[in-house]
Amino acid sequence: MKLTRRITLAAFAGVLALGTAMPAYAADLIAIITPSHDNPFFKAEAVGAEAKAKELGYEALVLVHDDDANKQSELIDTAIGRGAKAIILDNAGADATVAAVQKAKDAGIPSFLIDREINATGIAVAQIVSNNYQGAQLGAQEFVKLMGEKGNFVELVGKESDTNAGIRSKGYHDVIDDYPDLKMVAQQSANWSQTEAYSKMESILQANPDIKGVISGNDTMAMGAYAALAAANRKDVIVVGFDGSNDVRDSITSGGIKATVLQPAFAQAQMAVEQANDFIKNKKSPEKEKQLMDCVLVNGENAAKLETFALKN
């Protein structure tokens, strides 16, 4: 009897020991997948989402797809394999991402998209994006004013596979094209890249030395364009960006870039995690899948209040 009891107790202790070794996998996990954190906008998304996930009691798995749709698909597989309860995703292409989000849905994992939409509905639980058209119109109105409604200008466009690039460009032109004395002499994609924008701006400036302004699809390209203009001793050229980064804030306050448009990356990512939490715990979906957050103009008057893609009081 004593031997039997000792064996039973030993077995029970072994089960307890095994149980204490396993909770890391069993913990509720939210996967956060964005483009490269080299861009401060995407880093702010990841930081905001991770902070909110941990605040709500989740483990956070932060991954980067580098705007590579194949890598994104592999990371979705990783999230599925790890048993993620939800995926927060700033995607790698409006068309290329549809299959990846569907794959997650088929595995029972809801996706909450931020910043960029996909070209499908009913697959992701939410698509929370900045009102890029409204924001672009704000930026264009400021650009027109800074340009004095006339002069030659250049537009730097984002990655063609990103729907935001086209929406912002349309928002810009729906304002600027109403002013016949504003003439676009060059329009090129710099793929959201600062390095590429620098190189493109150098070439454009050589071909069009009389330009008066540059309007950019994001702040990273605006920074690259301004650096090229400064290197050519052309700080007189007006540059306007889009995103609301700290780098552009610093440039504005020091008299460099003239304006940008703030899209609330940090708040957007946190909203996605809150909606994911509601879905996980209460099976509650947001009222609308597609949700727009308005943008805010940032210029010399309020740039000092800008910090990590949010305006402080």
Side-chain angles (χ1 to χ4, degrees):
M1 241 353 232
K2 289 182 180 177
L3 178 61
T4 303
R5 188 179 175 200
R6 280 201 298 271
I7 292 171
T8 302
L9 288 171
F12 182 65
V15 169
L16 285 177
L18 184 61
T20 57
M22 294 179 63
Y25 183 85
D28 286 348
L29 177 73
I30 289 181
I32 300 158
I33 308 173
T34 71
S36 171
H37 295 179
D38 288 347
N39 185 320
F41 181 87
F42 302 128
K43 183 176 181 180
E45 288 181 331
V47 169
E50 182 179 17
K52 181 57 69 174
K54 289 181 176 178
E55 177 189 319
L56 294 172
Y58 295 92
E59 179 187 345
L61 177 64
V62 180
L63 303 168
V64 170
H65 58 57
D66 293 319
D67 278 312
D68 181 331
N70 292 325
K71 184 176 180 181
Q72 175 180 256
S73 183
E74 292 169 2
L75 297 179
I76 296 287
D77 287 338
T78 298
I80 293 170
R82 287 284 301 273
K85 301 295 184 183
I87 295 170
I88 309 298
L89 175 65
D90 191 338
N91 73 75
D95 291 315
T97 301
V98 173
V101 175
Q102 181 68 58
K103 177 168 57 175
K105 183 180 181 181
D106 292 343
I109 301 174
S111 295
F112 296 79
L113 275 54
I114 54 175
D115 181 42
R116 303 171 177 176
E117 299 175 69
I118 57 173
N119 289 333
T121 57
I123 302 174
V125 175
Q127 300 193 52
I128 307 170
V129 300
S130 299
N131 192 339
N132 284 280
Y133 183 79
Q134 170 260 351
Q137 289 201 308
L138 286 179
Q141 288 160 4
E142 183 73 358
F143 185 70
V144 168
K145 181 173 136 189
L146 290 164
M147 292 283 288
E149 302 184 7
K150 62 184 178 181
N152 293 344
F153 74 96
V154 172
E155 181 188 7
L156 292 178
V157 184
K159 189 180 288 289
E160 292 179 3
S161 63
D162 185 344
T163 54
N164 289 346
I167 292 169
R168 290 177 195 173
S169 183
K170 177 171 171 47
Y172 287 157
H173 284 279
D174 282 353
V175 173
I176 295 171
D177 292 354
D178 285 341
Y179 296 86
D181 292 332
L182 281 168
K183 294 182 172 59
M184 185 172 69
V185 294
Q187 181 188 52
Q188 292 192 29
S189 171
N191 293 302
W192 306 130
S193 164
Q194 184 165 335
T195 304
E196 194 169 338
Y198 185 98
S199 175
K200 293 283 176 74
M201 195 69 243
E202 278 188 317
S203 299
I204 292 169
L205 190 57
Q206 288 173 3
N208 304 276
D210 60 345
I211 62 168
K212 186 180 171 184
V214 177
I215 192 161
S216 172
N218 78 344
D219 279 352
T220 309
M221 296 188 299
M223 289 293 291
Y226 185 76
L229 290 163
N233 198 28
R234 289 297 309 276
K235 292 185 179 181
D236 59 300
V237 177
I238 292 158
V239 179
V240 170
F242 194 117
D243 275 342
S245 71
N246 286 358
D247 287 341
V248 166
R249 171 203 65 195
D250 294 343
S251 183
I252 292 171
T253 56
S254 64
I257 292 172
K258 298 305 179 190
T260 185
V261 175
L262 167 65
Q263 51 171 342
F266 194 88
Q268 202 172 88
Q270 294 210 318
M271 181 187 291
V273 174
E274 288 168 350
Q275 291 186 8
N277 178 59
D278 210 14
F279 187 87
I280 293 164
K281 292 182 176 174
N282 305 314
K283 297 301 178 189
K284 182 180 177 183
S285 299
E287 289 184 13
K288 293 181 180 179
E289 176 184 334
K290 291 197 174 184
Q291 304 163 57
L292 293 177
M293 295 181 72
D294 279 349
C295 301
V296 179
L297 178 71
V298 175
N299 56 21
E301 295 179 7
N302 61 353
K305 297 179 180 179
L306 182 62
E307 178 59 47
T308 317
F309 299 95
L311 282 174
K312 309 296 184 185
N313 293 327

